[in-house]
Amino acid sequence: MTDSHSDSQTSSPDSAQLLDRLNLIEQMVAEGRQTTERHGWIFIAWGLCYIVATLWASVGPYRAWAWWVCLGVTIAFVTAGQIRQRRKSAGAVSTKSHTLGSVWTVFSVAIMLYVFAAAISNHIGGVMFLSTICFFLGTVNVTSAAIYRWPMQSIAGLIWWAAGCYAQFTDVNGAGIAFLIATFFSQIIFGIYMMVMERRREQQQRLQHA
Amino acid sequence: MPELPELDPIIHGKLRLAVLSLLLPLEEAEFTWLREKTGSTDGNLGAQMQKLEEAGYVSVEKRFSARKPQTAYRITVKGRDALQNYIAAMRALLGGAL
């Protein structure tokens, strides 16, 4: 693409030239909106972390270490994956992905502070702890859904909120089971669905470029 | 007879229009990405970006990432308004052709 039209050439643009410009705007805006970002795997990774940590903390050896080890491994894995993904990305950041990234970063900081504070005060693993975690996860998912206007993610968020509400009316075992069920649907199943959608979108983008 | 609107000469250039449209849905984009998407040369794109920058339609940030220099561009509020006005003016000029 060259700038063959001089700056003074706007005096008598014909209809064909104007339509050509309008088409160019539409095409370029669509190009800018295209994204190669993948997030489905992150949901699955965190889902597996919650399930493994919960089961290990319930029945495994060295139970006190379960959450710390699982959280540490998952944080390292997800961070490394995201750095790799960012290096491979094409060099453009969409406004929506920047907004979403900020929301999830703030959420991650808040939840880590909450977990550390709960661990130090010895409140980790109780009914209120699990319920609050469910509400945290529900809120960030519903916020993402509102930004992306994506009803499927709203459902994932609502499942977390439902688990959080249920946990308030049951004992620790019941809250743990509610947490695991919400993890399965809102992290694992939703993550797989997201990966399928991301793959479809990439195929469509490839077809458009072909 | 109503007066026909004038088109902003800064935006009307094909490459400058393409770049502004690309930047519209983005938080920021690197120079190399814009060059790839527009299929232009370093020199031509650099010159057109300077014109957009001088008009206040884009802002530029030069930085280093993994020890490599990077030039990132963002569309400004002024640039966004100018592009919207340009589209409105084009629609007015085209009238019934749309």
Side-chain angles (χ1 to χ4, degrees):
Chain A
M1 191 180 293
T2 57
D3 235 336
S4 55
H5 298 273
S6 71
D7 290 351
S8 59
Q9 231 181 329
T10 59
S11 52
S12 58
D14 56 34
S15 294
Q17 194 193 58
L18 293 178
L19 283 171
D20 176 56
R21 291 292 197 273
L22 271 181
N23 287 336
L24 178 70
I25 293 169
E26 275 178 21
Q27 192 191 330
M28 289 293 119
V29 169
E31 193 84 28
R33 280 201 182 119
Q34 282 185 1
T35 171
T36 52
E37 290 159 358
R38 291 175 176 187
H39 300 293
W41 67 274
I42 300 174
F43 276 78
I44 296 172
W46 279 108
L48 290 174
C49 166
Y50 301 153
I51 290 171
V52 171
T54 307
L55 294 177
W56 180 3
S58 307
V59 294
Y62 306 106
R63 291 176 191 182
W65 287 95
W67 277 97
W68 299 116
V69 171
C70 290
L71 284 175
V73 169
T74 310
I75 288 170
F77 176 70
V78 169
T79 307
Q82 282 185 308
I83 289 170
R84 194 167 156 259
Q85 215 172 36
R86 202 157 294 170
R87 279 192 188 146
K88 277 171 70 183
S89 74
V93 181
S94 73
T95 308
K96 266 187 183 174
S97 91
H98 173 75
T99 310
L100 222 52
S102 307
V103 167
W104 280 89
T105 304
V106 168
F107 157 77
S108 305
V109 171
I111 205 165
M112 287 312 287
L113 282 173
Y114 178 72
V115 170
F116 275 119
I120 291 164
S121 62
N122 212 19
H123 288 140
I124 203 163
V127 167
M128 282 305 291
F129 174 80
L130 287 171
S131 175
T132 310
I133 294 284
C134 289
F135 276 104
F136 262 125
L137 288 163
T139 303
V140 74
N141 273 287
V142 173
T143 308
S144 287
I147 293 168
Y148 263 121
R149 295 191 178 92
W150 195 12
M152 279 305 286
Q153 197 166 14
S154 296
I155 295 169
L158 290 176
I159 291 171
W160 278 118
W161 278 346
C165 288
Y166 175 76
Q168 296 282 338
F169 298 96
T170 183
D171 58 5
V172 174
N173 289 336
I177 289 167
F179 181 78
L180 284 179
I181 290 171
T183 299
F184 178 73
F185 284 107
S186 298
Q187 297 287 139
I188 306 289
I189 298 292
F190 179 67
I192 292 169
Y193 170 76
M194 207 177 195
M195 285 181 84
V196 171
M197 297 304 286
E198 286 164 351
R199 186 155 291 184
R200 266 193 209 161
R201 188 190 61 209
E202 279 176 17
Q203 281 171 347
Q204 279 172 353
Q205 285 178 5
R206 249 180 262 136
L207 280 174
Q208 279 171 1
H209 279 282
Chain B
M1 192 176 162
E3 245 183 67
L4 287 173
E6 274 188 26
L7 294 175
D8 185 338
I10 301 284
I11 297 185
H12 194 64
K14 206 168 182 177
L15 182 52
R16 293 192 292 270
L17 178 62
V19 168
L20 275 187
S21 306
L22 277 170
L23 288 172
L24 193 64
L26 296 176
E27 179 69 15
E28 64 171 40
E30 284 170 30
F31 182 87
T32 48
W33 186 84
L34 290 170
R35 188 189 58 200
E36 186 196 315
K37 291 289 173 187
T38 54
S40 59
T41 61
D42 275 357
N44 193 14
L45 183 61
Q48 304 311 323
M49 293 312 294
Q50 199 171 341
K51 282 186 184 174
L52 288 172
E53 201 190 332
E54 282 164 6
Y57 292 171
V58 297
S59 65
V60 61
E61 189 190 338
K62 291 178 193 289
R63 61 192 178 209
F64 283 87
S65 176
R67 292 182 192 171
K68 286 179 189 165
Q70 266 183 1
T71 308
Y73 290 95
R74 287 169 186 230
I75 188 167
T76 61
V77 175
K78 192 179 173 188
R80 220 170 265 274
D81 290 345
L83 185 59
Q84 275 166 2
N85 290 339
Y86 176 82
I87 294 168
M90 272 209 302
R91 288 188 191 280
L93 281 171
L94 281 164
L98 282 173

PDB file of all heavy atoms in Angstrom, chain A residues 79-97:
ATOM      1  N   THR A  79       2.352 -18.243  33.861  1.00  0.00           N
ATOM      2  CA  THR A  79       3.163 -17.060  33.541  1.00  0.00           C
ATOM      3  C   THR A  79       4.099 -17.348  32.374  1.00  0.00           C
ATOM      4  O   THR A  79       4.213 -16.544  31.442  1.00  0.00           O
ATOM      5  CB  THR A  79       3.988 -16.613  34.783  1.00  0.00           C
ATOM      6  OG1 THR A  79       3.083 -16.458  35.877  1.00  0.00           O
ATOM      7  CG2 THR A  79       4.703 -15.307  34.546  1.00  0.00           C
ATOM      8  N   ALA A  80       4.768 -18.524  32.416  1.00  0.00           N
ATOM      9  CA  ALA A  80       5.691 -18.885  31.331  1.00  0.00           C
ATOM     10  C   ALA A  80       4.931 -18.987  30.003  1.00  0.00           C
ATOM     11  O   ALA A  80       5.409 -18.501  28.974  1.00  0.00           O
ATOM     12  CB  ALA A  80       6.377 -20.209  31.651  1.00  0.00           C
ATOM     13  N   GLY A  81       3.758 -19.594  30.036  1.00  0.00           N
ATOM     14  CA  GLY A  81       2.948 -19.737  28.822  1.00  0.00           C
ATOM     15  C   GLY A  81       2.532 -18.399  28.255  1.00  0.00           C
ATOM     16  O   GLY A  81       2.554 -18.185  27.041  1.00  0.00           O
ATOM     17  N   GLN A  82       2.158 -17.475  29.145  1.00  0.00           N
ATOM     18  CA  GLN A  82       1.707 -16.156  28.676  1.00  0.00           C
ATOM     19  C   GLN A  82       2.861 -15.334  28.104  1.00  0.00           C
ATOM     20  O   GLN A  82       2.691 -14.640  27.110  1.00  0.00           O
ATOM     21  CB  GLN A  82       1.037 -15.407  29.818  1.00  0.00           C
ATOM     22  CG  GLN A  82      -0.383 -15.915  30.052  1.00  0.00           C
ATOM     23  CD  GLN A  82      -1.103 -15.105  31.098  1.00  0.00           C
ATOM     24  OE1 GLN A  82      -0.594 -14.912  32.194  1.00  0.00           O
ATOM     25  NE2 GLN A  82      -2.284 -14.643  30.769  1.00  0.00           N
ATOM     26  N   ILE A  83       4.046 -15.472  28.735  1.00  0.00           N
ATOM     27  CA  ILE A  83       5.221 -14.748  28.203  1.00  0.00           C
ATOM     28  C   ILE A  83       5.547 -15.272  26.801  1.00  0.00           C
ATOM     29  O   ILE A  83       5.800 -14.504  25.870  1.00  0.00           O
ATOM     30  CB  ILE A  83       6.434 -14.895  29.158  1.00  0.00           C
ATOM     31  CG1 ILE A  83       6.183 -14.084  30.442  1.00  0.00           C
ATOM     32  CG2 ILE A  83       7.725 -14.442  28.492  1.00  0.00           C
ATOM     33  CD1 ILE A  83       7.182 -14.336  31.548  1.00  0.00           C
ATOM     34  N   ARG A  84       5.496 -16.608  26.650  1.00  0.00           N
ATOM     35  CA  ARG A  84       5.773 -17.237  25.353  1.00  0.00           C
ATOM     36  C   ARG A  84       4.756 -16.772  24.297  1.00  0.00           C
ATOM     37  O   ARG A  84       5.118 -16.440  23.176  1.00  0.00           O
ATOM     38  CB  ARG A  84       5.714 -18.760  25.522  1.00  0.00           C
ATOM     39  CG  ARG A  84       6.291 -19.511  24.362  1.00  0.00           C
ATOM     40  CD  ARG A  84       6.502 -20.984  24.711  1.00  0.00           C
ATOM     41  NE  ARG A  84       6.499 -21.756  23.492  1.00  0.00           N
ATOM     42  CZ  ARG A  84       5.459 -22.460  23.063  1.00  0.00           C
ATOM     43  NH1 ARG A  84       4.366 -22.500  23.764  1.00  0.00           N
ATOM     44  NH2 ARG A  84       5.526 -23.139  21.935  1.00  0.00           N
ATOM     45  N   GLN A  85       3.487 -16.735  24.728  1.00  0.00           N
ATOM     46  CA  GLN A  85       2.413 -16.321  23.823  1.00  0.00           C
ATOM     47  C   GLN A  85       2.606 -14.853  23.397  1.00  0.00           C
ATOM     48  O   GLN A  85       2.415 -14.513  22.238  1.00  0.00           O
ATOM     49  CB  GLN A  85       1.080 -16.464  24.559  1.00  0.00           C
ATOM     50  CG  GLN A  85      -0.056 -16.889  23.674  1.00  0.00           C
ATOM     51  CD  GLN A  85      -1.305 -17.194  24.496  1.00  0.00           C
ATOM     52  OE1 GLN A  85      -1.601 -16.556  25.491  1.00  0.00           O
ATOM     53  NE2 GLN A  85      -2.056 -18.171  24.071  1.00  0.00           N
ATOM     54  N   ARG A  86       2.987 -14.011  24.354  1.00  0.00           N
ATOM     55  CA  ARG A  86       3.160 -12.593  24.059  1.00  0.00           C
ATOM     56  C   ARG A  86       4.314 -12.371  23.079  1.00  0.00           C
ATOM     57  O   ARG A  86       4.251 -11.536  22.203  1.00  0.00           O
ATOM     58  CB  ARG A  86       3.420 -11.828  25.359  1.00  0.00           C
ATOM     59  CG  ARG A  86       3.087 -10.357  25.236  1.00  0.00           C
ATOM     60  CD  ARG A  86       2.802  -9.738  26.568  1.00  0.00           C
ATOM     61  NE  ARG A  86       1.593 -10.263  27.177  1.00  0.00           N
ATOM     62  CZ  ARG A  86       1.232 -10.027  28.432  1.00  0.00           C
ATOM     63  NH1 ARG A  86       1.984  -9.296  29.200  1.00  0.00           N
ATOM     64  NH2 ARG A  86       0.117 -10.515  28.917  1.00  0.00           N
ATOM     65  N   ARG A  87       5.391 -13.197  23.250  1.00  0.00           N
ATOM     66  CA  ARG A  87       6.534 -13.065  22.337  1.00  0.00           C
ATOM     67  C   ARG A  87       6.149 -13.443  20.918  1.00  0.00           C
ATOM     68  O   ARG A  87       6.651 -12.893  19.956  1.00  0.00           O
ATOM     69  CB  ARG A  87       7.687 -13.942  22.828  1.00  0.00           C
ATOM     70  CG  ARG A  87       8.460 -13.251  23.932  1.00  0.00           C
ATOM     71  CD  ARG A  87       9.745 -13.948  24.227  1.00  0.00           C
ATOM     72  NE  ARG A  87      10.369 -13.364  25.402  1.00  0.00           N
ATOM     73  CZ  ARG A  87      11.074 -14.037  26.271  1.00  0.00           C
ATOM     74  NH1 ARG A  87      11.268 -15.325  26.120  1.00  0.00           N
ATOM     75  NH2 ARG A  87      11.616 -13.435  27.308  1.00  0.00           N
ATOM     76  N   LYS A  88       5.247 -14.445  20.830  1.00  0.00           N
ATOM     77  CA  LYS A  88       4.833 -14.916  19.499  1.00  0.00           C
ATOM     78  C   LYS A  88       3.750 -14.023  18.884  1.00  0.00           C
ATOM     79  O   LYS A  88       3.486 -14.108  17.693  1.00  0.00           O
ATOM     80  CB  LYS A  88       4.275 -16.347  19.605  1.00  0.00           C
ATOM     81  CG  LYS A  88       5.376 -17.406  19.591  1.00  0.00           C
ATOM     82  CD  LYS A  88       4.833 -18.766  19.907  1.00  0.00           C
ATOM     83  CE  LYS A  88       3.983 -19.316  18.797  1.00  0.00           C
ATOM     84  NZ  LYS A  88       3.403 -20.638  19.158  1.00  0.00           N
ATOM     85  N   SER A  89       3.109 -13.189  19.685  1.00  0.00           N
ATOM     86  CA  SER A  89       1.974 -12.398  19.196  1.00  0.00           C
ATOM     87  C   SER A  89       2.472 -11.360  18.198  1.00  0.00           C
ATOM     88  O   SER A  89       3.624 -10.988  18.160  1.00  0.00           O
ATOM     89  CB  SER A  89       1.227 -11.725  20.342  1.00  0.00           C
ATOM     90  OG  SER A  89       1.974 -10.649  20.824  1.00  0.00           O
ATOM     91  N   ALA A  90       1.535 -10.857  17.416  1.00  0.00           N
ATOM     92  CA  ALA A  90       1.904 -10.068  16.239  1.00  0.00           C
ATOM     93  C   ALA A  90       2.335  -8.636  16.525  1.00  0.00           C
ATOM     94  O   ALA A  90       2.734  -7.938  15.630  1.00  0.00           O
ATOM     95  CB  ALA A  90       0.724 -10.070  15.280  1.00  0.00           C
ATOM     96  N   GLY A  91       2.277  -8.167  17.746  1.00  0.00           N
ATOM     97  CA  GLY A  91       2.738  -6.810  18.020  1.00  0.00           C
ATOM     98  C   GLY A  91       1.634  -5.779  18.100  1.00  0.00           C
ATOM     99  O   GLY A  91       1.883  -4.596  17.890  1.00  0.00           O
ATOM    100  N   ALA A  92       0.418  -6.214  18.365  1.00  0.00           N
ATOM    101  CA  ALA A  92      -0.689  -5.275  18.537  1.00  0.00           C
ATOM    102  C   ALA A  92      -1.544  -5.734  19.711  1.00  0.00           C
ATOM    103  O   ALA A  92      -1.759  -6.924  19.887  1.00  0.00           O
ATOM    104  CB  ALA A  92      -1.537  -5.218  17.286  1.00  0.00           C
ATOM    105  N   VAL A  93      -1.985  -4.784  20.506  1.00  0.00           N
ATOM    106  CA  VAL A  93      -2.818  -5.111  21.666  1.00  0.00           C
ATOM    107  C   VAL A  93      -4.173  -4.439  21.493  1.00  0.00           C
ATOM    108  O   VAL A  93      -4.246  -3.221  21.344  1.00  0.00           O
ATOM    109  CB  VAL A  93      -2.159  -4.597  22.974  1.00  0.00           C
ATOM    110  CG1 VAL A  93      -3.004  -4.968  24.176  1.00  0.00           C
ATOM    111  CG2 VAL A  93      -0.755  -5.138  23.102  1.00  0.00           C
ATOM    112  N   SER A  94      -5.243  -5.249  21.498  1.00  0.00           N
ATOM    113  CA  SER A  94      -6.564  -4.656  21.332  1.00  0.00           C
ATOM    114  C   SER A  94      -7.005  -3.998  22.643  1.00  0.00           C
ATOM    115  O   SER A  94      -6.555  -4.377  23.726  1.00  0.00           O
ATOM    116  CB  SER A  94      -7.579  -5.705  20.891  1.00  0.00           C
ATOM    117  OG  SER A  94      -7.887  -6.539  21.967  1.00  0.00           O
ATOM    118  N   THR A  95      -7.884  -3.011  22.513  1.00  0.00           N
ATOM    119  CA  THR A  95      -8.366  -2.284  23.691  1.00  0.00           C
ATOM    120  C   THR A  95      -9.085  -3.241  24.643  1.00  0.00           C
ATOM    121  O   THR A  95      -8.915  -3.167  25.858  1.00  0.00           O
ATOM    122  CB  THR A  95      -9.316  -1.151  23.252  1.00  0.00           C
ATOM    123  OG1 THR A  95      -8.641  -0.389  22.259  1.00  0.00           O
ATOM    124  CG2 THR A  95      -9.680  -0.242  24.399  1.00  0.00           C
ATOM    125  N   LYS A  96      -9.888  -4.163  24.054  1.00  0.00           N
ATOM    126  CA  LYS A  96     -10.626  -5.109  24.888  1.00  0.00           C
ATOM    127  C   LYS A  96      -9.680  -6.022  25.653  1.00  0.00           C
ATOM    128  O   LYS A  96      -9.880  -6.278  26.843  1.00  0.00           O
ATOM    129  CB  LYS A  96     -11.555  -5.954  24.012  1.00  0.00           C
ATOM    130  CG  LYS A  96     -12.949  -5.394  23.925  1.00  0.00           C
ATOM    131  CD  LYS A  96     -13.858  -6.335  23.197  1.00  0.00           C
ATOM    132  CE  LYS A  96     -15.232  -5.717  23.050  1.00  0.00           C
ATOM    133  NZ  LYS A  96     -16.124  -6.510  22.223  1.00  0.00           N
ATOM    134  N   SER A  97      -8.655  -6.538  24.973  1.00  0.00           N
ATOM    135  CA  SER A  97      -7.756  -7.472  25.666  1.00  0.00           C
ATOM    136  C   SER A  97      -6.944  -6.748  26.734  1.00  0.00           C
ATOM    137  O   SER A  97      -6.623  -7.322  27.769  1.00  0.00           O
ATOM    138  CB  SER A  97      -6.875  -8.231  24.676  1.00  0.00           C
ATOM    139  OG  SER A  97      -5.687  -7.565  24.448  1.00  0.00           O
TER     140      SER A  97
END
